[in-house]
Amino acid sequence: MTRRSALEAQWLTLTRETLPAAATRDWPVRFDHCFQRILLDAACGGVWYDHIAKRPAYAHAPDEVLTAAIALGRAVLAGEADLVALNRQSLVWRGKAIR
């Protein structure tokens, strides 16, 4: 397995299985695509599709972006990153601010 394929496998396990299974009632999202949006937006510093030209995003994101998104997802799991704040910022970048 290459380093890249290992990164992608980590990403898919984290966002499709681990985070949805860990979601609590206090979390603003529960579905894999929502976790992917939030984490990729945060890792890119804006809406991910303004920074990653092709889809699926995880397959075309630079290694540094995918690594940062994975680390952020792990920080959410460890209670070291605020998923509510990350989601709010993602929505602001997308013009869908919540109050």
Side-chain angles (χ1 to χ4, degrees):
M1 179 177 282
T2 67
R3 180 182 189 288
R4 180 59 193 208
S5 61
L7 268 179
E8 290 182 16
Q10 289 174 42
W11 171 254
L12 292 174
T13 299
L14 178 69
T15 60
R16 288 183 178 171
E17 298 172 24
T18 309
L19 285 165
T24 69
R25 299 178 89 201
D26 297 329
W27 286 15
V29 297
R30 292 178 187 18
F31 301 110
D32 60 350
H33 62 279
C34 297
F35 291 113
Q36 292 171 356
R37 167 186 55 83
I38 293 165
L39 298 175
L40 284 174
D41 282 2
C44 288
V47 179
W48 67 260
Y49 49 77
D50 290 340
H51 302 271
I52 302 168
K54 295 182 181 180
R55 287 152 179 80
Y58 74 88
H60 298 283
D63 287 359
E64 308 79 51
V65 169
L66 198 54
T67 299
I70 291 167
L72 192 53
R74 290 180 177 153
V76 166
L77 286 169
E80 299 167 357
D82 184 347
L83 185 62
V84 172
L86 291 168
N87 181 53
R88 184 176 294 119
Q89 181 59 63
S90 173
L91 294 173
V92 166
W93 283 325
R94 292 163 179 271
K96 300 177 181 180
I98 57 175
R99 304 198 192 277

